[in-house]
Amino acid sequence: MKITPTEQKKLLELANLERTLDAGLRKQLPEDAEVTKLREQADRKRSLAASAQLNVADLELEIRRIQSDMTKLNRRISADKQGLGAATDADQRRDLEHDLVSAQRRLSDMQQELKEAHDEIHALRANVDRNGAELDEIERKLAAAQRAAESAQDAEDSKDRSGQAAELRVHISAEALAAYDEQRAIFGVGAAEFTGRTCGGCHLVLPPAALAEIRATPADEMPRCPDCGTYLVRR
Ligand SMILES: [Zn+2]
């Protein structure tokens, strides 16, 4: 079978294209890069949202601790006041008054702490809401980008199949195409590059006798791999 070196180059291009399509390999498109970027943004935002939520939980715990301490202090203050109503002993009264003052001072400090904690938790909850809203927004964009990437990929695939492959086939003789298609139907690869020692179809390093035969094949004919039958296109 005669096939010009130019046709052989086109056939190799066709074979490589059809192998990529058969393997279902995706070509990286700008739309895919956008999906990757948004996915990373979503991951970052999700971890920020999680730590904001954790901060709220920590502070809620702190507020409950302050409230429980305040309940205890209020009980202590009531007990001191009751004690003062009944105590007549001067030392005992002095101890109770001392304790009452310190409990009241501590209670007032805790009221301040509670107020600050409430202000802070308000800000933290706003932060949680904002992160959540931003995450929703990113996820909406991500879903849209994924749809865009899918249709871009579909368009690319159909362009590849019906367009590029057909475009390449135009430049190759019917006889060569028939031989290629037949071999492709048998082995899955119709033609492959010959790198000097190895068959690009089955990746075997060929024995010296086969190499000599391949080298001796005229430039306008295509040698075949003695093992898998793939047509070999020499560089
Ligand atoms: Zn082979």
Side-chain angles (χ1 to χ4, degrees), residues 187 198-204 206 224-230 232:
F187 183 65
T198 312
C199 165
C202 64
H203 302 292
L204 280 188
L206 301 178
R224 300 181 76 165
C225 169
D227 206 76
C228 67
T230 294
L232 297 172

PDB file of all heavy atoms in Angstrom, residues 187 198-204 206 224-230 232, ligand 1:
ATOM      1  N   PHE A 187      -7.215  -4.141  16.803  1.00  0.00           N
ATOM      2  CA  PHE A 187      -6.333  -3.947  17.965  1.00  0.00           C
ATOM      3  C   PHE A 187      -6.723  -2.753  18.843  1.00  0.00           C
ATOM      4  O   PHE A 187      -6.289  -2.649  19.984  1.00  0.00           O
ATOM      5  CB  PHE A 187      -4.886  -3.762  17.464  1.00  0.00           C
ATOM      6  CG  PHE A 187      -3.882  -3.627  18.573  1.00  0.00           C
ATOM      7  CD1 PHE A 187      -3.649  -4.693  19.447  1.00  0.00           C
ATOM      8  CD2 PHE A 187      -3.189  -2.440  18.773  1.00  0.00           C
ATOM      9  CE1 PHE A 187      -2.732  -4.564  20.484  1.00  0.00           C
ATOM     10  CE2 PHE A 187      -2.267  -2.310  19.809  1.00  0.00           C
ATOM     11  CZ  PHE A 187      -2.039  -3.388  20.656  1.00  0.00           C
ATOM     12  N   THR A 198      10.638   1.314  19.568  1.00  0.00           N
ATOM     13  CA  THR A 198       9.426   0.851  20.238  1.00  0.00           C
ATOM     14  C   THR A 198       8.199   1.073  19.365  1.00  0.00           C
ATOM     15  O   THR A 198       8.087   2.095  18.699  1.00  0.00           O
ATOM     16  CB  THR A 198       9.239   1.645  21.554  1.00  0.00           C
ATOM     17  OG1 THR A 198      10.469   1.633  22.246  1.00  0.00           O
ATOM     18  CG2 THR A 198       8.165   1.035  22.424  1.00  0.00           C
ATOM     19  N   CYS A 199       7.259   0.135  19.416  1.00  0.00           N
ATOM     20  CA  CYS A 199       5.977   0.312  18.752  1.00  0.00           C
ATOM     21  C   CYS A 199       5.104   1.206  19.630  1.00  0.00           C
ATOM     22  O   CYS A 199       4.922   0.928  20.817  1.00  0.00           O
ATOM     23  CB  CYS A 199       5.304  -1.049  18.554  1.00  0.00           C
ATOM     24  SG  CYS A 199       3.546  -0.910  18.133  1.00  0.00           S
ATOM     25  N   GLY A 200       4.591   2.300  19.048  1.00  0.00           N
ATOM     26  CA  GLY A 200       3.735   3.219  19.807  1.00  0.00           C
ATOM     27  C   GLY A 200       2.349   2.652  20.047  1.00  0.00           C
ATOM     28  O   GLY A 200       1.560   3.226  20.795  1.00  0.00           O
ATOM     29  N   GLY A 201       2.028   1.512  19.427  1.00  0.00           N
ATOM     30  CA  GLY A 201       0.717   0.899  19.630  1.00  0.00           C
ATOM     31  C   GLY A 201       0.722  -0.031  20.829  1.00  0.00           C
ATOM     32  O   GLY A 201      -0.103   0.096  21.729  1.00  0.00           O
ATOM     33  N   CYS A 202       1.675  -0.955  20.880  1.00  0.00           N
ATOM     34  CA  CYS A 202       1.703  -1.934  21.986  1.00  0.00           C
ATOM     35  C   CYS A 202       2.849  -1.656  22.962  1.00  0.00           C
ATOM     36  O   CYS A 202       2.957  -2.298  23.994  1.00  0.00           O
ATOM     37  CB  CYS A 202       1.823  -3.353  21.428  1.00  0.00           C
ATOM     38  SG  CYS A 202       3.362  -3.658  20.542  1.00  0.00           S
ATOM     39  N   HIS A 203       3.698  -0.673  22.635  1.00  0.00           N
ATOM     40  CA  HIS A 203       4.800  -0.233  23.500  1.00  0.00           C
ATOM     41  C   HIS A 203       5.884  -1.295  23.701  1.00  0.00           C
ATOM     42  O   HIS A 203       6.639  -1.226  24.671  1.00  0.00           O
ATOM     43  CB  HIS A 203       4.273   0.286  24.848  1.00  0.00           C
ATOM     44  CG  HIS A 203       3.310   1.416  24.670  1.00  0.00           C
ATOM     45  ND1 HIS A 203       3.692   2.647  24.206  1.00  0.00           N
ATOM     46  CD2 HIS A 203       1.970   1.475  24.835  1.00  0.00           C
ATOM     47  CE1 HIS A 203       2.621   3.433  24.105  1.00  0.00           C
ATOM     48  NE2 HIS A 203       1.563   2.738  24.481  1.00  0.00           N
ATOM     49  N   LEU A 204       5.912  -2.272  22.806  1.00  0.00           N
ATOM     50  CA  LEU A 204       6.983  -3.271  22.894  1.00  0.00           C
ATOM     51  C   LEU A 204       8.248  -2.725  22.226  1.00  0.00           C
ATOM     52  O   LEU A 204       8.163  -2.039  21.206  1.00  0.00           O
ATOM     53  CB  LEU A 204       6.590  -4.557  22.175  1.00  0.00           C
ATOM     54  CG  LEU A 204       5.674  -5.538  22.899  1.00  0.00           C
ATOM     55  CD1 LEU A 204       5.569  -6.831  22.083  1.00  0.00           C
ATOM     56  CD2 LEU A 204       6.187  -5.842  24.302  1.00  0.00           C
ATOM     57  N   LEU A 206      11.022  -3.520  19.860  1.00  0.00           N
ATOM     58  CA  LEU A 206      11.017  -4.535  18.820  1.00  0.00           C
ATOM     59  C   LEU A 206      12.392  -5.187  18.663  1.00  0.00           C
ATOM     60  O   LEU A 206      13.417  -4.539  18.897  1.00  0.00           O
ATOM     61  CB  LEU A 206      10.564  -3.895  17.499  1.00  0.00           C
ATOM     62  CG  LEU A 206       9.168  -3.269  17.581  1.00  0.00           C
ATOM     63  CD1 LEU A 206       8.801  -2.612  16.265  1.00  0.00           C
ATOM     64  CD2 LEU A 206       8.111  -4.294  17.979  1.00  0.00           C
ATOM     65  N   ARG A 224       4.570  -2.319   9.634  1.00  0.00           N
ATOM     66  CA  ARG A 224       3.633  -2.671  10.722  1.00  0.00           C
ATOM     67  C   ARG A 224       4.398  -3.311  11.858  1.00  0.00           C
ATOM     68  O   ARG A 224       5.453  -3.927  11.646  1.00  0.00           O
ATOM     69  CB  ARG A 224       2.582  -3.653  10.200  1.00  0.00           C
ATOM     70  CG  ARG A 224       1.774  -3.083   9.061  1.00  0.00           C
ATOM     71  CD  ARG A 224       0.740  -4.061   8.587  1.00  0.00           C
ATOM     72  NE  ARG A 224      -0.400  -4.139   9.518  1.00  0.00           N
ATOM     73  CZ  ARG A 224      -1.567  -4.692   9.192  1.00  0.00           C
ATOM     74  NH1 ARG A 224      -1.729  -5.254   8.000  1.00  0.00           N
ATOM     75  NH2 ARG A 224      -2.549  -4.705  10.061  1.00  0.00           N
ATOM     76  N   CYS A 225       3.858  -3.169  13.036  1.00  0.00           N
ATOM     77  CA  CYS A 225       4.464  -3.820  14.193  1.00  0.00           C
ATOM     78  C   CYS A 225       4.254  -5.326  14.031  1.00  0.00           C
ATOM     79  O   CYS A 225       3.132  -5.769  13.793  1.00  0.00           O
ATOM     80  CB  CYS A 225       3.798  -3.328  15.471  1.00  0.00           C
ATOM     81  SG  CYS A 225       4.259  -4.288  16.930  1.00  0.00           S
ATOM     82  N   PRO A 226       5.343  -6.129  14.125  1.00  0.00           N
ATOM     83  CA  PRO A 226       5.186  -7.568  13.946  1.00  0.00           C
ATOM     84  C   PRO A 226       4.358  -8.186  15.077  1.00  0.00           C
ATOM     85  O   PRO A 226       3.856  -9.301  14.951  1.00  0.00           O
ATOM     86  CB  PRO A 226       6.627  -8.098  13.969  1.00  0.00           C
ATOM     87  CG  PRO A 226       7.395  -7.064  14.705  1.00  0.00           C
ATOM     88  CD  PRO A 226       6.730  -5.742  14.433  1.00  0.00           C
ATOM     89  N   ASP A 227       4.208  -7.451  16.163  1.00  0.00           N
ATOM     90  CA  ASP A 227       3.498  -8.009  17.314  1.00  0.00           C
ATOM     91  C   ASP A 227       2.010  -7.693  17.296  1.00  0.00           C
ATOM     92  O   ASP A 227       1.171  -8.578  17.408  1.00  0.00           O
ATOM     93  CB  ASP A 227       4.130  -7.463  18.601  1.00  0.00           C
ATOM     94  CG  ASP A 227       3.895  -8.426  19.737  1.00  0.00           C
ATOM     95  OD1 ASP A 227       4.593  -9.466  19.769  1.00  0.00           O
ATOM     96  OD2 ASP A 227       2.979  -8.164  20.545  1.00  0.00           O
ATOM     97  N   CYS A 228       1.657  -6.390  17.163  1.00  0.00           N
ATOM     98  CA  CYS A 228       0.231  -6.021  17.273  1.00  0.00           C
ATOM     99  C   CYS A 228      -0.375  -5.625  15.935  1.00  0.00           C
ATOM    100  O   CYS A 228      -1.582  -5.463  15.835  1.00  0.00           O
ATOM    101  CB  CYS A 228       0.052  -4.896  18.290  1.00  0.00           C
ATOM    102  SG  CYS A 228       0.769  -3.332  17.782  1.00  0.00           S
ATOM    103  N   GLY A 229       0.463  -5.434  14.926  1.00  0.00           N
ATOM    104  CA  GLY A 229      -0.064  -5.119  13.604  1.00  0.00           C
ATOM    105  C   GLY A 229      -0.269  -3.634  13.337  1.00  0.00           C
ATOM    106  O   GLY A 229      -0.616  -3.238  12.222  1.00  0.00           O
ATOM    107  N   THR A 230      -0.092  -2.809  14.365  1.00  0.00           N
ATOM    108  CA  THR A 230      -0.265  -1.365  14.209  1.00  0.00           C
ATOM    109  C   THR A 230       0.628  -0.815  13.085  1.00  0.00           C
ATOM    110  O   THR A 230       1.788  -1.202  12.972  1.00  0.00           O
ATOM    111  CB  THR A 230       0.084  -0.660  15.545  1.00  0.00           C
ATOM    112  OG1 THR A 230      -0.882  -1.047  16.517  1.00  0.00           O
ATOM    113  CG2 THR A 230       0.074   0.865  15.414  1.00  0.00           C
ATOM    114  N   LEU A 232       3.031   1.704  11.586  1.00  0.00           N
ATOM    115  CA  LEU A 232       4.004   2.557  12.268  1.00  0.00           C
ATOM    116  C   LEU A 232       4.370   3.742  11.386  1.00  0.00           C
ATOM    117  O   LEU A 232       4.733   3.578  10.225  1.00  0.00           O
ATOM    118  CB  LEU A 232       5.246   1.744  12.628  1.00  0.00           C
ATOM    119  CG  LEU A 232       4.978   0.594  13.616  1.00  0.00           C
ATOM    120  CD1 LEU A 232       6.214  -0.283  13.770  1.00  0.00           C
ATOM    121  CD2 LEU A 232       4.527   1.138  14.974  1.00  0.00           C
TER     122      LEU A 232
HETATM  123 ZN    ZN B   1       2.971  -3.163  18.389  1.00  0.00          ZN
END
